[in-house]
Amino acid sequence: MESTQTSDWVARSLRSVWHPCTQMQHHETVPLIPVKYGRGAWLYDHEGRRYLDAISSWWVNLFGHANPRINAALKDQLDSLEHAMLAGFTHEPVIELSERLAALTGHNLGHAFYASDGASAVEIALKMSFHSWRNKGQADKQEFVCLKGSYHGETIGALAVTDVALFKDAYGPLLRATQTVMSPDARQAAEGETAQERAENAARRAAADVERLFNERGDKIAAIIIEPLVQCATGMAMHDPLYLQLVRALCDRHSVHLILDEIAVGCGRTGTFFACEQAGVWPDFLCLSKGISGGYLPLSLVLSRDEIYQAFYSADVTRGFLHSHSYTGNPLACRAALATLDIFEQDNVLAANKVRAERLTKALAPLANHERIKDARQQGMIWAFDAIDAGPAFSRRYFAEATRQELLLRPIGSTIYLMPPYILDDEEIDGLAARTLSVFEATLAGAGA
């Protein structure tokens, strides 16, 4: 009976749903998995098979599926207020969340502006930067700068500051031209460099490229946008915090805004609540989404410096920031975020994650040292490994094999990465490491490698 149900759900989905980031024809050979329910780190299908959610359902789930504390907060909020427009009105959850996030930045940033998804937060930051320069009488500052291999979303503005051809090329005629500078990816090595020298020198070389561009066009540039410490969608390219320090100084010197996209790397993912804390710098705009609601509801926001907010504060309506979303500051999503922050505080999550990460790193050593792996790397609760000579369609083959071995892992190209929720126990950690290696070897064997 369950098998029939599974087939029916799959068929109905393929007839009615256009799935994201997917060539739908591939589902002729790689079947959809209809999820019936989730508990903790696991997702369960209609036949009772389970899958360890080792990528946190696209990097959003921090404390497990059906988390009792977040569930309770949402049930309580449902009996109070499900939604109210935020234009001309306000409510307790959005106020408290904005206050707590500002406090987490030491009040260097504040006045949270809300949307629903990461790309929308990037759009907001780009528009705010552009408009604030105009309000300050510097309307020539209209250009944006992004890093080679960067990804910031797939709406038109966010895609313009994305440098992944697979996502961007088809829409080139729609996009605003953007300046691209070299990535500080620590895998870029000069001969004879140690790992630390490699990371620091890559950061310095990349910052020098920013300096060159700012010297040439600083009077035209509104902002540079960076994913701090880890460029996720380009294959978990990790860089030294030194890069952020150097770019912050260059932005100050040339009057260029620094936008930090912490949509994937914020909320403890890199080892600190905000990734930029490890560099000891704050941006002009900080974008958050994904984990901020614990993976429960769509929520994104932009925190900005007070001088940005003041540039819009006027009796003149045209100087205001008139961007809007119908579900801006949704009370249910904000309440989920407040419950998420409560868990961080009450469970000392960052310290617990450090212990959890050390165990998983040790358990992953056989994969890191595998003869067909290079550039094993880790930052907080993110691990990545590059397969050597992975063969065609490696990502799809690995994903299919992983589901057979009770794992949800979805490589980016030839990069295997893990970004699990912050709740794994020792047995789950050891099992995740062992199966990640087992899936890798089975995938290689299946390709005749």
Side-chain angles (χ1 to χ4, degrees), residues 254-305:
H254 291 271
S255 296
V256 172
H257 289 147
L258 176 59
I259 301 171
L260 291 186
D261 173 355
E262 297 223 7
I263 291 160
V265 299
C267 301
R269 194 55 82 175
T270 65
T272 47
F273 189 83
F274 299 110
C276 61
E277 292 179 76
Q278 296 182 45
V281 302
W282 293 105
D284 301 291
F285 303 91
L286 191 148
C287 303
L288 281 181
S289 189
K290 292 191 182 290
I292 189 61
S293 72
Y296 266 68
L297 288 164
L299 181 67
S300 66
L301 60 101
V302 178
L303 297 168
S304 61
R305 291 187 181 270

Side-chain angles (χ1 to χ4, degrees), residues 331-355:
L332 285 167
C334 289
R335 189 69 185 274
L338 287 167
T340 297
L341 294 184
D342 287 343
I343 295 173
F344 268 101
E345 292 179 6
Q346 295 165 9
D347 293 6
N348 198 8
V349 168
L350 297 177
N353 276 357
K354 185 175 180 181
V355 175

Side-chain angles (χ1 to χ4, degrees), residues 9 32-38 42-46 51 65 408:
W9 285 118
L32 282 170
I33 298 171
V35 175
K36 186 173 184 179
Y37 66 95
W42 298 86
L43 295 169
Y44 294 80
D45 67 18
H46 286 263
Y51 310 88
H65 299 282
L408 170 50

Side-chain angles (χ1 to χ4, degrees), residues 34-250:
V35 175
K36 186 173 184 179
Y37 66 95
R39 291 291 184 277
W42 298 86
L43 295 169
Y44 294 80
D45 67 18
H46 286 263
E47 296 182 9
R49 290 189 297 263
R50 64 178 190 167
Y51 310 88
L52 181 62
D53 191 355
I55 58 171
S56 299
S57 286
W58 252 350
W59 321 342
V60 301
N61 188 284
L62 301 190
F63 299 117
H65 299 282
N67 182 280
R69 283 184 277 181
I70 302 177
N71 284 1
L74 286 173
K75 290 172 183 175
D76 179 71
Q77 185 62 42
L78 275 171
D79 289 330
S80 175
L81 177 66
E82 83 298 337
H83 184 66
M85 63 186 291
L86 208 60
F89 291 83
T90 193
H91 52 77
E92 182 179 333
V94 78
I95 296 168
E96 288 191 359
L97 179 58
S98 302
E99 290 174 340
R100 289 176 68 174
L101 289 172
L104 285 171
T105 74
H107 297 284
N108 285 283
L109 304 172
H111 280 106
F113 196 103
Y114 289 87
S116 58
D117 58 89
S120 295
V122 170
E123 296 278 344
I124 288 165
L126 296 173
K127 287 178 66 177
M128 275 187 178
S129 175
F130 171 89
H131 197 166
S132 67
W133 287 123
R134 190 182 76 168
N135 282 355
K136 292 177 180 179
Q138 295 177 265
D140 286 345
K141 294 176 77 66
Q142 300 182 7
E143 297 179 3
F144 295 103
V145 181
C146 67
L147 275 55
K148 182 176 174 58
S150 59
Y151 175 90
H152 298 288
E154 292 167 47
T155 52
I156 295 300
L159 198 56
V161 290
T162 286
D163 185 51
V164 179
L166 180 65
F167 300 119
K168 185 173 183 176
D169 281 0
Y171 309 102
L174 300 177
L175 306 178
R176 184 182 180 88
T178 302
Q179 303 287 342
T180 303
V181 292
M182 70 180 292
S183 168
D185 185 351
R187 290 173 293 182
Q188 303 170 92
E191 189 174 349
E193 290 180 338
T194 66
Q196 186 58 39
E197 289 171 340
R198 178 172 65 172
E200 291 182 1
N201 290 340
R204 293 185 190 280
R205 288 192 293 269
D209 197 36
V210 175
E211 183 173 25
R212 171 199 58 76
L213 179 62
F214 282 9
N215 284 337
E216 293 174 1
R217 305 193 61 80
D219 59 337
K220 304 292 185 186
I221 295 171
I224 181 171
I225 183 167
I226 298 168
E227 237 184 332
L229 301 188
V230 187
Q231 290 178 257
C232 293
T234 196
M236 302 299 163
M238 300 181 184
H239 61 258
D240 195 278
L242 173 64
Y243 179 70
L244 301 178
Q245 296 170 356
L246 296 173
V247 173
R248 174 73 271 181
L250 289 169

Side-chain angles (χ1 to χ4, degrees), residues 298-314:
L299 181 67
S300 66
L301 60 101
V302 178
L303 297 168
S304 61
R305 291 187 181 270
D306 188 60
E307 53 263 38
I308 302 293
Y309 176 79
Q310 292 300 327
F312 293 89
Y313 200 83
S314 170

